[in-house]
Amino acid sequence: MKIWIDADACPGVIKEILYRACGRKQVELILVANQPLKVPPSPIIRTVQVPAGFDVADNYIVQNMSPGDLVITADIPLADEVIDAEGHAINPRGAFYTKENIKQRLTMRNFMEELRSTGQVSGGPPPLNHTDRQAFANALDRFLAKHCK
């Protein structure tokens, strides 16, 4: 199993949690972004820089992941593709996307995007807080305990 990060929009504090967890469990961590990234020196952490463009990083992740891999992303369409490819997906707030909830989340995301485009709603989710970081760390630890022996 590998862990993939949709790294362009992933908060730094979440990346730090992942660096520590992957080091502890010796799980390969791959950060995919369209810009250069600085990561701690480690044989299990690597970066992939993809060209700039709409969904280029997402497409790279989906094309290169394997069933059972974990993808960290707040991008619901990417999470949908990951689940279709038999992977696991979790957002930076610690919520897993599943076969049971992804279609509903995708529908809500599209609805909110439509409202934003008409000016009826503005803004996005609130900034990540301590509770969100803790929820992510706890969900990641439970996942790794279950999938990494």
Side-chain angles (χ1 to χ4, degrees), residues 113-146:
E113 191 171 274
E114 188 175 312
L115 289 178
R116 279 190 289 277
S117 73
T118 62
Q120 295 178 33
V121 173
S122 63
L128 219 58
N129 62 36
H130 178 72
T131 303
D132 297 325
R133 293 189 295 269
Q134 190 64 49
F136 177 82
N138 290 341
L140 179 65
D141 283 345
R142 284 190 301 274
F143 179 88
L144 292 175
K146 182 177 179 181

PDB file of all heavy atoms in Angstrom, residues 113-146:
ATOM      1  N   GLU A 113     -21.267  24.418  -6.021  1.00  0.00           N
ATOM      2  CA  GLU A 113     -20.513  25.080  -7.087  1.00  0.00           C
ATOM      3  C   GLU A 113     -21.449  25.900  -7.973  1.00  0.00           C
ATOM      4  O   GLU A 113     -21.121  27.016  -8.386  1.00  0.00           O
ATOM      5  CB  GLU A 113     -19.757  24.038  -7.910  1.00  0.00           C
ATOM      6  CG  GLU A 113     -18.749  24.636  -8.866  1.00  0.00           C
ATOM      7  CD  GLU A 113     -17.883  23.567  -9.495  1.00  0.00           C
ATOM      8  OE1 GLU A 113     -16.877  23.205  -8.869  1.00  0.00           O
ATOM      9  OE2 GLU A 113     -18.218  23.122 -10.605  1.00  0.00           O
ATOM     10  N   GLU A 114     -22.626  25.357  -8.244  1.00  0.00           N
ATOM     11  CA  GLU A 114     -23.626  26.076  -9.033  1.00  0.00           C
ATOM     12  C   GLU A 114     -24.091  27.331  -8.298  1.00  0.00           C
ATOM     13  O   GLU A 114     -24.209  28.407  -8.899  1.00  0.00           O
ATOM     14  CB  GLU A 114     -24.813  25.163  -9.314  1.00  0.00           C
ATOM     15  CG  GLU A 114     -25.811  25.742 -10.287  1.00  0.00           C
ATOM     16  CD  GLU A 114     -26.914  24.746 -10.613  1.00  0.00           C
ATOM     17  OE1 GLU A 114     -26.606  23.581 -10.912  1.00  0.00           O
ATOM     18  OE2 GLU A 114     -28.085  25.171 -10.564  1.00  0.00           O
ATOM     19  N   LEU A 115     -24.331  27.224  -6.992  1.00  0.00           N
ATOM     20  CA  LEU A 115     -24.738  28.393  -6.207  1.00  0.00           C
ATOM     21  C   LEU A 115     -23.638  29.459  -6.186  1.00  0.00           C
ATOM     22  O   LEU A 115     -23.930  30.650  -6.299  1.00  0.00           O
ATOM     23  CB  LEU A 115     -25.090  27.984  -4.773  1.00  0.00           C
ATOM     24  CG  LEU A 115     -26.380  27.193  -4.574  1.00  0.00           C
ATOM     25  CD1 LEU A 115     -26.552  26.824  -3.112  1.00  0.00           C
ATOM     26  CD2 LEU A 115     -27.585  27.963  -5.091  1.00  0.00           C
ATOM     27  N   ARG A 116     -22.380  29.023  -6.057  1.00  0.00           N
ATOM     28  CA  ARG A 116     -21.272  29.987  -6.069  1.00  0.00           C
ATOM     29  C   ARG A 116     -21.166  30.678  -7.418  1.00  0.00           C
ATOM     30  O   ARG A 116     -20.899  31.874  -7.494  1.00  0.00           O
ATOM     31  CB  ARG A 116     -19.958  29.296  -5.714  1.00  0.00           C
ATOM     32  CG  ARG A 116     -19.762  29.104  -4.224  1.00  0.00           C
ATOM     33  CD  ARG A 116     -18.348  28.642  -3.876  1.00  0.00           C
ATOM     34  NE  ARG A 116     -18.090  27.282  -4.279  1.00  0.00           N
ATOM     35  CZ  ARG A 116     -18.424  26.203  -3.575  1.00  0.00           C
ATOM     36  NH1 ARG A 116     -19.024  26.329  -2.424  1.00  0.00           N
ATOM     37  NH2 ARG A 116     -18.140  25.002  -4.021  1.00  0.00           N
ATOM     38  N   SER A 117     -21.391  29.936  -8.496  1.00  0.00           N
ATOM     39  CA  SER A 117     -21.263  30.530  -9.836  1.00  0.00           C
ATOM     40  C   SER A 117     -22.349  31.567 -10.112  1.00  0.00           C
ATOM     41  O   SER A 117     -22.155  32.466 -10.920  1.00  0.00           O
ATOM     42  CB  SER A 117     -21.273  29.443 -10.912  1.00  0.00           C
ATOM     43  OG  SER A 117     -22.571  28.910 -11.062  1.00  0.00           O
ATOM     44  N   THR A 118     -23.477  31.452  -9.432  1.00  0.00           N
ATOM     45  CA  THR A 118     -24.553  32.437  -9.614  1.00  0.00           C
ATOM     46  C   THR A 118     -24.464  33.561  -8.585  1.00  0.00           C
ATOM     47  O   THR A 118     -25.286  34.471  -8.604  1.00  0.00           O
ATOM     48  CB  THR A 118     -25.939  31.758  -9.492  1.00  0.00           C
ATOM     49  OG1 THR A 118     -26.089  31.217  -8.183  1.00  0.00           O
ATOM     50  CG2 THR A 118     -26.122  30.690 -10.549  1.00  0.00           C
ATOM     51  N   GLY A 119     -23.499  33.479  -7.672  1.00  0.00           N
ATOM     52  CA  GLY A 119     -23.318  34.518  -6.675  1.00  0.00           C
ATOM     53  C   GLY A 119     -24.210  34.378  -5.458  1.00  0.00           C
ATOM     54  O   GLY A 119     -24.220  35.247  -4.588  1.00  0.00           O
ATOM     55  N   GLN A 120     -24.971  33.307  -5.383  1.00  0.00           N
ATOM     56  CA  GLN A 120     -25.872  33.118  -4.242  1.00  0.00           C
ATOM     57  C   GLN A 120     -25.126  32.712  -2.985  1.00  0.00           C
ATOM     58  O   GLN A 120     -25.600  32.935  -1.876  1.00  0.00           O
ATOM     59  CB  GLN A 120     -26.939  32.078  -4.582  1.00  0.00           C
ATOM     60  CG  GLN A 120     -27.869  32.528  -5.692  1.00  0.00           C
ATOM     61  CD  GLN A 120     -28.887  31.455  -6.041  1.00  0.00           C
ATOM     62  OE1 GLN A 120     -29.310  30.707  -5.174  1.00  0.00           O
ATOM     63  NE2 GLN A 120     -29.263  31.384  -7.305  1.00  0.00           N
ATOM     64  N   VAL A 121     -23.970  32.097  -3.159  1.00  0.00           N
ATOM     65  CA  VAL A 121     -23.130  31.669  -2.041  1.00  0.00           C
ATOM     66  C   VAL A 121     -21.706  32.056  -2.386  1.00  0.00           C
ATOM     67  O   VAL A 121     -21.297  31.981  -3.545  1.00  0.00           O
ATOM     68  CB  VAL A 121     -23.223  30.127  -1.836  1.00  0.00           C
ATOM     69  CG1 VAL A 121     -22.237  29.657  -0.789  1.00  0.00           C
ATOM     70  CG2 VAL A 121     -24.626  29.714  -1.467  1.00  0.00           C
ATOM     71  N   SER A 122     -20.944  32.486  -1.383  1.00  0.00           N
ATOM     72  CA  SER A 122     -19.533  32.797  -1.643  1.00  0.00           C
ATOM     73  C   SER A 122     -18.676  32.089  -0.609  1.00  0.00           C
ATOM     74  O   SER A 122     -19.153  31.660   0.438  1.00  0.00           O
ATOM     75  CB  SER A 122     -19.294  34.306  -1.586  1.00  0.00           C
ATOM     76  OG  SER A 122     -19.578  34.785  -0.296  1.00  0.00           O
ATOM     77  N   GLY A 123     -17.412  31.991  -0.926  1.00  0.00           N
ATOM     78  CA  GLY A 123     -16.469  31.375   0.007  1.00  0.00           C
ATOM     79  C   GLY A 123     -16.474  29.865  -0.049  1.00  0.00           C
ATOM     80  O   GLY A 123     -17.221  29.248  -0.799  1.00  0.00           O
ATOM     81  N   GLY A 124     -15.646  29.300   0.770  1.00  0.00           N
ATOM     82  CA  GLY A 124     -15.513  27.855   0.831  1.00  0.00           C
ATOM     83  C   GLY A 124     -15.528  27.404   2.275  1.00  0.00           C
ATOM     84  O   GLY A 124     -16.069  28.095   3.137  1.00  0.00           O
ATOM     85  N   PRO A 125     -14.909  26.267   2.530  1.00  0.00           N
ATOM     86  CA  PRO A 125     -14.908  25.757   3.903  1.00  0.00           C
ATOM     87  C   PRO A 125     -14.060  26.640   4.821  1.00  0.00           C
ATOM     88  O   PRO A 125     -13.168  27.356   4.356  1.00  0.00           O
ATOM     89  CB  PRO A 125     -14.307  24.357   3.761  1.00  0.00           C
ATOM     90  CG  PRO A 125     -13.544  24.385   2.499  1.00  0.00           C
ATOM     91  CD  PRO A 125     -14.215  25.393   1.604  1.00  0.00           C
ATOM     92  N   PRO A 126     -14.327  26.581   6.114  1.00  0.00           N
ATOM     93  CA  PRO A 126     -13.507  27.354   7.061  1.00  0.00           C
ATOM     94  C   PRO A 126     -12.085  26.807   7.112  1.00  0.00           C
ATOM     95  O   PRO A 126     -11.838  25.674   6.708  1.00  0.00           O
ATOM     96  CB  PRO A 126     -14.227  27.157   8.397  1.00  0.00           C
ATOM     97  CG  PRO A 126     -14.987  25.889   8.236  1.00  0.00           C
ATOM     98  CD  PRO A 126     -15.343  25.787   6.782  1.00  0.00           C
ATOM     99  N   PRO A 127     -11.150  27.609   7.600  1.00  0.00           N
ATOM    100  CA  PRO A 127      -9.767  27.127   7.726  1.00  0.00           C
ATOM    101  C   PRO A 127      -9.695  25.900   8.641  1.00  0.00           C
ATOM    102  O   PRO A 127     -10.528  25.724   9.531  1.00  0.00           O
ATOM    103  CB  PRO A 127      -9.023  28.302   8.354  1.00  0.00           C
ATOM    104  CG  PRO A 127      -9.917  29.482   8.196  1.00  0.00           C
ATOM    105  CD  PRO A 127     -11.304  28.979   8.065  1.00  0.00           C
ATOM    106  N   LEU A 128      -8.681  25.093   8.392  1.00  0.00           N
ATOM    107  CA  LEU A 128      -8.442  23.920   9.228  1.00  0.00           C
ATOM    108  C   LEU A 128      -8.144  24.374  10.653  1.00  0.00           C
ATOM    109  O   LEU A 128      -7.371  25.307  10.857  1.00  0.00           O
ATOM    110  CB  LEU A 128      -7.222  23.180   8.661  1.00  0.00           C
ATOM    111  CG  LEU A 128      -7.221  21.676   8.649  1.00  0.00           C
ATOM    112  CD1 LEU A 128      -8.399  21.134   7.879  1.00  0.00           C
ATOM    113  CD2 LEU A 128      -5.934  21.165   8.050  1.00  0.00           C
ATOM    114  N   ASN A 129      -8.742  23.714  11.639  1.00  0.00           N
ATOM    115  CA  ASN A 129      -8.460  24.070  13.031  1.00  0.00           C
ATOM    116  C   ASN A 129      -7.861  22.864  13.758  1.00  0.00           C
ATOM    117  O   ASN A 129      -7.673  21.803  13.165  1.00  0.00           O
ATOM    118  CB  ASN A 129      -9.719  24.596  13.735  1.00  0.00           C
ATOM    119  CG  ASN A 129     -10.837  23.577  13.800  1.00  0.00           C
ATOM    120  OD1 ASN A 129     -10.604  22.383  13.965  1.00  0.00           O
ATOM    121  ND2 ASN A 129     -12.066  24.049  13.671  1.00  0.00           N
ATOM    122  N   HIS A 130      -7.590  23.040  15.035  1.00  0.00           N
ATOM    123  CA  HIS A 130      -6.954  21.970  15.819  1.00  0.00           C
ATOM    124  C   HIS A 130      -7.812  20.704  15.845  1.00  0.00           C
ATOM    125  O   HIS A 130      -7.288  19.586  15.741  1.00  0.00           O
ATOM    126  CB  HIS A 130      -6.668  22.449  17.240  1.00  0.00           C
ATOM    127  CG  HIS A 130      -6.069  21.388  18.094  1.00  0.00           C
ATOM    128  ND1 HIS A 130      -4.769  20.949  17.927  1.00  0.00           N
ATOM    129  CD2 HIS A 130      -6.584  20.634  19.094  1.00  0.00           C
ATOM    130  CE1 HIS A 130      -4.513  19.980  18.790  1.00  0.00           C
ATOM    131  NE2 HIS A 130      -5.599  19.771  19.514  1.00  0.00           N
ATOM    132  N   THR A 131      -9.106  20.857  15.977  1.00  0.00           N
ATOM    133  CA  THR A 131     -10.015  19.701  16.002  1.00  0.00           C
ATOM    134  C   THR A 131      -9.943  18.933  14.689  1.00  0.00           C
ATOM    135  O   THR A 131      -9.931  17.700  14.688  1.00  0.00           O
ATOM    136  CB  THR A 131     -11.462  20.160  16.286  1.00  0.00           C
ATOM    137  OG1 THR A 131     -11.466  20.881  17.522  1.00  0.00           O
ATOM    138  CG2 THR A 131     -12.420  18.998  16.373  1.00  0.00           C
ATOM    139  N   ASP A 132      -9.878  19.660  13.565  1.00  0.00           N
ATOM    140  CA  ASP A 132      -9.756  19.017  12.251  1.00  0.00           C
ATOM    141  C   ASP A 132      -8.449  18.240  12.145  1.00  0.00           C
ATOM    142  O   ASP A 132      -8.423  17.107  11.660  1.00  0.00           O
ATOM    143  CB  ASP A 132      -9.804  20.062  11.129  1.00  0.00           C
ATOM    144  CG  ASP A 132     -11.112  20.821  11.063  1.00  0.00           C
ATOM    145  OD1 ASP A 132     -12.172  20.231  11.339  1.00  0.00           O
ATOM    146  OD2 ASP A 132     -11.067  22.024  10.729  1.00  0.00           O
ATOM    147  N   ARG A 133      -7.364  18.852  12.586  1.00  0.00           N
ATOM    148  CA  ARG A 133      -6.051  18.178  12.533  1.00  0.00           C
ATOM    149  C   ARG A 133      -6.063  16.910  13.381  1.00  0.00           C
ATOM    150  O   ARG A 133      -5.551  15.874  12.958  1.00  0.00           O
ATOM    151  CB  ARG A 133      -4.940  19.123  13.000  1.00  0.00           C
ATOM    152  CG  ARG A 133      -4.716  20.288  12.065  1.00  0.00           C
ATOM    153  CD  ARG A 133      -3.484  21.078  12.438  1.00  0.00           C
ATOM    154  NE  ARG A 133      -3.564  21.734  13.732  1.00  0.00           N
ATOM    155  CZ  ARG A 133      -4.014  22.971  13.940  1.00  0.00           C
ATOM    156  NH1 ARG A 133      -4.441  23.686  12.919  1.00  0.00           N
ATOM    157  NH2 ARG A 133      -4.030  23.483  15.146  1.00  0.00           N
ATOM    158  N   GLN A 134      -6.659  16.993  14.556  1.00  0.00           N
ATOM    159  CA  GLN A 134      -6.729  15.829  15.440  1.00  0.00           C
ATOM    160  C   GLN A 134      -7.601  14.742  14.818  1.00  0.00           C
ATOM    161  O   GLN A 134      -7.262  13.562  14.881  1.00  0.00           O
ATOM    162  CB  GLN A 134      -7.275  16.239  16.810  1.00  0.00           C
ATOM    163  CG  GLN A 134      -7.139  15.147  17.840  1.00  0.00           C
ATOM    164  CD  GLN A 134      -5.690  14.793  18.133  1.00  0.00           C
ATOM    165  OE1 GLN A 134      -4.863  15.668  18.374  1.00  0.00           O
ATOM    166  NE2 GLN A 134      -5.365  13.517  18.081  1.00  0.00           N
ATOM    167  N   ALA A 135      -8.712  15.137  14.217  1.00  0.00           N
ATOM    168  CA  ALA A 135      -9.605  14.164  13.564  1.00  0.00           C
ATOM    169  C   ALA A 135      -8.871  13.462  12.423  1.00  0.00           C
ATOM    170  O   ALA A 135      -8.992  12.239  12.251  1.00  0.00           O
ATOM    171  CB  ALA A 135     -10.866  14.850  13.046  1.00  0.00           C
ATOM    172  N   PHE A 136      -8.083  14.213  11.650  1.00  0.00           N
ATOM    173  CA  PHE A 136      -7.316  13.607  10.559  1.00  0.00           C
ATOM    174  C   PHE A 136      -6.289  12.621  11.120  1.00  0.00           C
ATOM    175  O   PHE A 136      -6.180  11.486  10.642  1.00  0.00           O
ATOM    176  CB  PHE A 136      -6.613  14.670   9.707  1.00  0.00           C
ATOM    177  CG  PHE A 136      -5.763  14.058   8.639  1.00  0.00           C
ATOM    178  CD1 PHE A 136      -6.338  13.637   7.449  1.00  0.00           C
ATOM    179  CD2 PHE A 136      -4.404  13.853   8.821  1.00  0.00           C
ATOM    180  CE1 PHE A 136      -5.573  13.022   6.461  1.00  0.00           C
ATOM    181  CE2 PHE A 136      -3.629  13.242   7.853  1.00  0.00           C
ATOM    182  CZ  PHE A 136      -4.219  12.835   6.672  1.00  0.00           C
ATOM    183  N   ALA A 137      -5.533  13.049  12.118  1.00  0.00           N
ATOM    184  CA  ALA A 137      -4.493  12.185  12.692  1.00  0.00           C
ATOM    185  C   ALA A 137      -5.108  10.902  13.252  1.00  0.00           C
ATOM    186  O   ALA A 137      -4.556   9.809  13.042  1.00  0.00           O
ATOM    187  CB  ALA A 137      -3.715  12.935  13.771  1.00  0.00           C
ATOM    188  N   ASN A 138      -6.227  11.016  13.934  1.00  0.00           N
ATOM    189  CA  ASN A 138      -6.878   9.833  14.503  1.00  0.00           C
ATOM    190  C   ASN A 138      -7.391   8.893  13.416  1.00  0.00           C
ATOM    191  O   ASN A 138      -7.217   7.677  13.501  1.00  0.00           O
ATOM    192  CB  ASN A 138      -8.029  10.247  15.425  1.00  0.00           C
ATOM    193  CG  ASN A 138      -7.541  10.900  16.698  1.00  0.00           C
ATOM    194  OD1 ASN A 138      -6.384  10.754  17.095  1.00  0.00           O
ATOM    195  ND2 ASN A 138      -8.418  11.650  17.340  1.00  0.00           N
ATOM    196  N   ALA A 139      -8.031   9.455  12.383  1.00  0.00           N
ATOM    197  CA  ALA A 139      -8.546   8.624  11.291  1.00  0.00           C
ATOM    198  C   ALA A 139      -7.397   7.934  10.553  1.00  0.00           C
ATOM    199  O   ALA A 139      -7.491   6.754  10.203  1.00  0.00           O
ATOM    200  CB  ALA A 139      -9.373   9.476  10.329  1.00  0.00           C
ATOM    201  N   LEU A 140      -6.306   8.660  10.328  1.00  0.00           N
ATOM    202  CA  LEU A 140      -5.134   8.076   9.670  1.00  0.00           C
ATOM    203  C   LEU A 140      -4.548   6.950  10.514  1.00  0.00           C
ATOM    204  O   LEU A 140      -4.234   5.871   9.987  1.00  0.00           O
ATOM    205  CB  LEU A 140      -4.083   9.153   9.405  1.00  0.00           C
ATOM    206  CG  LEU A 140      -2.794   8.671   8.745  1.00  0.00           C
ATOM    207  CD1 LEU A 140      -3.060   8.149   7.334  1.00  0.00           C
ATOM    208  CD2 LEU A 140      -1.761   9.798   8.721  1.00  0.00           C
ATOM    209  N   ASP A 141      -4.406   7.176  11.811  1.00  0.00           N
ATOM    210  CA  ASP A 141      -3.863   6.129  12.687  1.00  0.00           C
ATOM    211  C   ASP A 141      -4.728   4.869  12.659  1.00  0.00           C
ATOM    212  O   ASP A 141      -4.205   3.750  12.597  1.00  0.00           O
ATOM    213  CB  ASP A 141      -3.739   6.636  14.126  1.00  0.00           C
ATOM    214  CG  ASP A 141      -2.539   7.543  14.325  1.00  0.00           C
ATOM    215  OD1 ASP A 141      -1.640   7.572  13.447  1.00  0.00           O
ATOM    216  OD2 ASP A 141      -2.490   8.235  15.356  1.00  0.00           O
ATOM    217  N   ARG A 142      -6.053   5.039  12.711  1.00  0.00           N
ATOM    218  CA  ARG A 142      -6.950   3.865  12.656  1.00  0.00           C
ATOM    219  C   ARG A 142      -6.797   3.136  11.320  1.00  0.00           C
ATOM    220  O   ARG A 142      -6.740   1.911  11.276  1.00  0.00           O
ATOM    221  CB  ARG A 142      -8.406   4.298  12.852  1.00  0.00           C
ATOM    222  CG  ARG A 142      -8.748   4.630  14.306  1.00  0.00           C
ATOM    223  CD  ARG A 142     -10.245   4.821  14.509  1.00  0.00           C
ATOM    224  NE  ARG A 142     -10.827   5.866  13.699  1.00  0.00           N
ATOM    225  CZ  ARG A 142     -10.867   7.154  14.026  1.00  0.00           C
ATOM    226  NH1 ARG A 142     -10.359   7.574  15.159  1.00  0.00           N
ATOM    227  NH2 ARG A 142     -11.444   8.025  13.211  1.00  0.00           N
ATOM    228  N   PHE A 143      -6.703   3.901  10.226  1.00  0.00           N
ATOM    229  CA  PHE A 143      -6.551   3.285   8.905  1.00  0.00           C
ATOM    230  C   PHE A 143      -5.245   2.500   8.828  1.00  0.00           C
ATOM    231  O   PHE A 143      -5.214   1.355   8.370  1.00  0.00           O
ATOM    232  CB  PHE A 143      -6.589   4.366   7.815  1.00  0.00           C
ATOM    233  CG  PHE A 143      -6.414   3.806   6.436  1.00  0.00           C
ATOM    234  CD1 PHE A 143      -7.510   3.363   5.713  1.00  0.00           C
ATOM    235  CD2 PHE A 143      -5.155   3.718   5.862  1.00  0.00           C
ATOM    236  CE1 PHE A 143      -7.346   2.823   4.441  1.00  0.00           C
ATOM    237  CE2 PHE A 143      -4.975   3.178   4.595  1.00  0.00           C
ATOM    238  CZ  PHE A 143      -6.097   2.733   3.889  1.00  0.00           C
ATOM    239  N   LEU A 144      -4.149   3.120   9.270  1.00  0.00           N
ATOM    240  CA  LEU A 144      -2.851   2.457   9.199  1.00  0.00           C
ATOM    241  C   LEU A 144      -2.798   1.230  10.106  1.00  0.00           C
ATOM    242  O   LEU A 144      -2.206   0.210   9.734  1.00  0.00           O
ATOM    243  CB  LEU A 144      -1.730   3.444   9.552  1.00  0.00           C
ATOM    244  CG  LEU A 144      -1.505   4.570   8.527  1.00  0.00           C
ATOM    245  CD1 LEU A 144      -0.480   5.546   9.040  1.00  0.00           C
ATOM    246  CD2 LEU A 144      -1.128   4.018   7.164  1.00  0.00           C
ATOM    247  N   ALA A 145      -3.417   1.296  11.266  1.00  0.00           N
ATOM    248  CA  ALA A 145      -3.457   0.130  12.161  1.00  0.00           C
ATOM    249  C   ALA A 145      -4.192  -1.035  11.497  1.00  0.00           C
ATOM    250  O   ALA A 145      -3.799  -2.192  11.659  1.00  0.00           O
ATOM    251  CB  ALA A 145      -4.132   0.501  13.478  1.00  0.00           C
ATOM    252  N   LYS A 146      -5.212  -0.717  10.738  1.00  0.00           N
ATOM    253  CA  LYS A 146      -6.007  -1.757  10.078  1.00  0.00           C
ATOM    254  C   LYS A 146      -5.318  -2.312   8.824  1.00  0.00           C
ATOM    255  O   LYS A 146      -5.417  -3.492   8.519  1.00  0.00           O
ATOM    256  CB  LYS A 146      -7.372  -1.184   9.721  1.00  0.00           C
ATOM    257  CG  LYS A 146      -8.317  -2.184   9.072  1.00  0.00           C
ATOM    258  CD  LYS A 146      -9.669  -1.546   8.820  1.00  0.00           C
ATOM    259  CE  LYS A 146     -10.614  -2.525   8.145  1.00  0.00           C
ATOM    260  NZ  LYS A 146     -11.922  -1.913   7.885  1.00  0.00           N
TER     261      LYS A 146
END
